[in-house]
């Protein structure tokens, strides 16, 4: 099996998989927020900024999923304030636009 560009044994894969399942079971470590209308409303705040921000030669316009990730961060910040919400991403365009709309974001190398 291939994981993070390296081959791992099936037993290691099964251990990683089980650790992930344990993390999401009963919302122990990871809690899934379902998409709802507020994310769509927040996305409206992102569209104009995304379209008006010039692309560099290496960048592409954000996908619908990228925009919804930023929109969800906006919503989570509103729900959980004063606890800070931050996006961690390797997508330079997502990082750029998230910062422009006021979302805390770090570029992951």
């Amino acid at each position: 099996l291939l994981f993070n560009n390296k081959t791992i044994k099936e037993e290691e894969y099964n251990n990683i998989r089980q650790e992930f399942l344990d993390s999401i079971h009963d919302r122990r470590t990871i809690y899934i927020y379902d998409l709802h209308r507020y994310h769509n409303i927040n996305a409206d705040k992102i569209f104009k900024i995304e379209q008006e921000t010039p692309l560099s030669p290496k960048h592409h316009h954000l996908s619908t999923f990228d925009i919804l990730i930023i929109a969800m961060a906006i919503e989570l910040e509103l729900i959980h304030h004063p606890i800070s919400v931050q996006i961690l991403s390797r997508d330079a365009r997502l990082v750029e636009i998230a910062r422009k709309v006021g979302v805390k974001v770090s570029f992951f190398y």
Side-chain angles (χ1 to χ4, degrees):
L1 299 169
L2 191 63
F3 181 75
N4 265 355
N5 294 325
K6 70 175 187 175
T7 303
I8 62 172
K9 295 179 181 177
E10 187 172 351
E11 181 180 352
E12 186 177 358
Y13 167 79
N14 288 332
N15 289 338
I16 293 168
R17 181 180 173 276
Q18 189 58 51
E19 184 178 329
F20 173 74
L21 292 173
D22 290 344
S23 295
I24 62 172
H25 184 70
D26 292 331
R27 301 177 182 105
R28 284 187 203 150
T29 306
I30 300 171
Y31 182 83
I32 306 302
Y33 283 90
D34 293 322
L35 180 66
H36 57 76
R37 65 188 170 114
Y38 295 112
H39 300 124
N40 294 320
I41 293 168
N42 292 335
D44 190 51
K45 300 172 187 177
I46 301 162
F47 295 135
K48 185 175 181 181
I49 291 172
E50 202 280 332
Q51 290 298 310
E52 291 176 347
T53 302
L55 291 171
S56 74
K58 294 182 181 180
H59 289 153
H60 57 278
H61 283 290
L62 294 180
S63 71
T64 301
F65 297 111
D66 294 334
I67 291 170
L68 288 173
I69 288 168
I70 298 169
M72 186 172 278
I74 292 169
E75 187 63 23
L76 291 173
E77 186 77 29
L78 291 170
I79 292 169
H80 296 293
H81 183 76
I83 297 171
S84 181
V85 173
Q86 183 168 348
I87 296 173
L88 181 62
S89 178
R90 292 186 74 165
D91 185 322
R93 180 70 175 182
L94 186 146
V95 169
E96 176 184 26
I97 300 303
R99 285 183 179 151
K100 284 189 172 196
V101 298
V103 171
K104 292 178 184 161
V105 61
S106 293
F107 189 79
F108 176 72
Y109 298 94

